[in-house]
Amino acid sequence: MRITDTSDLWWKNAVVYCLDVETFMDWNSDGIGDLEGLAQRLDHLADLGITCLWLMPFYPTAGRDDGYDITDYYAVDPRLGTLGDLVEMIRTANDRGMRVIADLVVNHTSDQHPWFQSAKASKDSPYRDFYVWREDQPPDTSGQVVFPDAEEGIWTHSPETDAWYLHRFYAEQPDLDVTNPRVRDEIAKIMGFWLQLGLAGFRVDAVPFLLETAGVDEDSAAHFPDPHEYLRALRAFLGRRTGSGVLLGEVNLPFEQQAEFFGGQDGDELTMQFDFNTMQQMYLSLARCDAGPLAASLAARPEISPDSQWGTFVRNHDELTLDKLGDDERAEVFAAFGPEEEMQVYDRGLIRRLPPMLAGDPRRVRMVYSLLFSLPGTPVLFYGEEIGMGEDLSAGSRLSVRTPMQRTSGANGGFSDAAAEELTRPVVDGGFAPEFVNVADQRRDPDSLLSFMKLLIRRYRESPELGWGGFQLLEQPHAAVLAHLCTWDDGALVAVHNLGAEPLSVPLTVPGCGAGHRLEDLLTAGGAQLADDGSVELALEGYGYRWLRVVTEDSRRIL
Ligand code: NOJ
Ligand code: CA
């Protein structure tokens, strides 16, 4: 393995940043974030150390699901700018060392999309079989809906033709039928279009639902025998159009099934997948101040191909889903981090951001981000995390964390010059308002969370063993501590995190090391000498964290 490989399989140690153009920066003062505004703030992201932007849907939309209900796959929502603005922004991001990927939302269209408008009007429509229909009364499917606060089932009656259509999400989001080769052709064409404009790949929305054939008539399903074959075909297509493109898939399923969505050891399906399981176990660990659940999840990750990668994250743009925890475990996390009903949604998730959940405790917030960047995988940030933004519970449900980016302590948090009531969404108020949490102040403060995040990102990028390397949990006696080792080629890094409030001393042994090895702190000055048998004792503050590079006398790694 060579350091130069990291520029080839770039996603293995990228730093991904998810943002919604609509809430990031408003440049023409109409209260809505836009592509020009994003272009104006790319330098903030480059300065932070981001290497890949993930844009939430920026396409024309009917506005039912914050852009995830698309009415035209080949255009930009006019409120955000034009295709030209998008291309200029992508070029500028590329110049600053950042690739750009975007949401590919092709499990469903909006019900306002011309395909569905035509399909629902007549059984003879050329687009009728783009969607999934049934003629008979559907059974009770209330257990299968994704948004239980809004939907009672996954079939909705369409009076024009007296038939029901399938939708996994809102009724305004009819599912496309991927067993139809014409639909598959359209999906490829959509991908090809955006790749040609400069995208470096896609965050693929709702992958398991996209590939499922439930509800499709037997004849059509018979022509589409293996969904994974289709996923392989999409990946191959992407590879033909752009050699280094990625598919970052949303697959919130148990590990064994995620392994299949990577294409197993062949690694020829999704390039990356979010690690929803480890994210959820991490919150359980935080709630209990016990690293056990997190450690167990990391140990249970399936082997993946060296080209595949996990996307690690603390928070995304949706509810913080805890659906993979047991009922009692979820109740523990709710009690610790979101005890009020208004903080919870769908009986499975929380609608808060991390800092308010941790009562703003800066030690704990930093410890969690130190964990994020030192866990094996590629970290994915959600905009605003770098400065510790809070949420707006009154916005309700998933919108609570999608408030305007807080840039300054001035009017509208510097997001827009429009009148406050014209903003696309109100700015957060209270203890996490722009007055207290904003980019401009934190840029000038070496002790700010933003400065700390920059340090973590620099060290992460300089330590490819974290994204590329082998991973091993290190034994030590404290339940509150996670100690792990990442190794790659001749590089090795030990990370220790204390999830509890008490200072601790952590005895551990670094395998394969001895008296010739030292540990050098990477986040601060300091280090420790290993004994002959590789053992060492490491001091940790309450909620403390350390990253330590294993070095020898003649080591030439960056220190
Ligand atoms: C997953 C997205 O993350 C979510 O925001 C959206 O509502 C659904 N997919 C439907 O597209
Ligand atoms: Ca605007």
Side-chain angles (χ1 to χ4, degrees), residues 54 56-57 65-69 103 105 107-108 146-147 169-170 173 203-206 209 250 276 316-319 346 398 402:
W54 152 24
M56 285 168 63
D65 188 11
D66 200 17
Y68 285 91
D69 50 328
D103 256 287
V105 189
N107 170 67
H108 47 266
V146 179
F147 302 134
F169 298 95
Y170 292 121
Q173 293 168 304
R203 179 267 188 185
V204 191
D205 191 59
F209 293 131
E250 182 198 24
F276 280 96
N316 69 10
H317 62 295
D318 286 329
E319 79 277 11
Y346 312 140
R398 295 171 300 152
R402 303 184 190 173

Side-chain angles (χ1 to χ4, degrees), residues 505-559:
S505 177
V506 187
L508 53 78
T509 299
V510 186
C513 293
H517 294 87
R518 268 187 64 73
L519 298 179
E520 289 285 349
D521 272 293
L522 294 184
L523 302 178
T524 173
Q529 184 65 47
L530 297 182
D532 283 351
D533 61 352
S535 65
V536 66
E537 186 112 6
L538 298 171
L540 275 182
E541 306 278 311
Y543 303 123
Y545 44 84
R546 290 174 75 176
W547 296 20
L548 301 129
R549 190 165 329 283
V550 182
V551 292
T552 55
E553 196 62 2
D554 53 2
S555 174
R556 295 194 290 176
R557 290 293 304 276
I558 290 184
L559 283 178

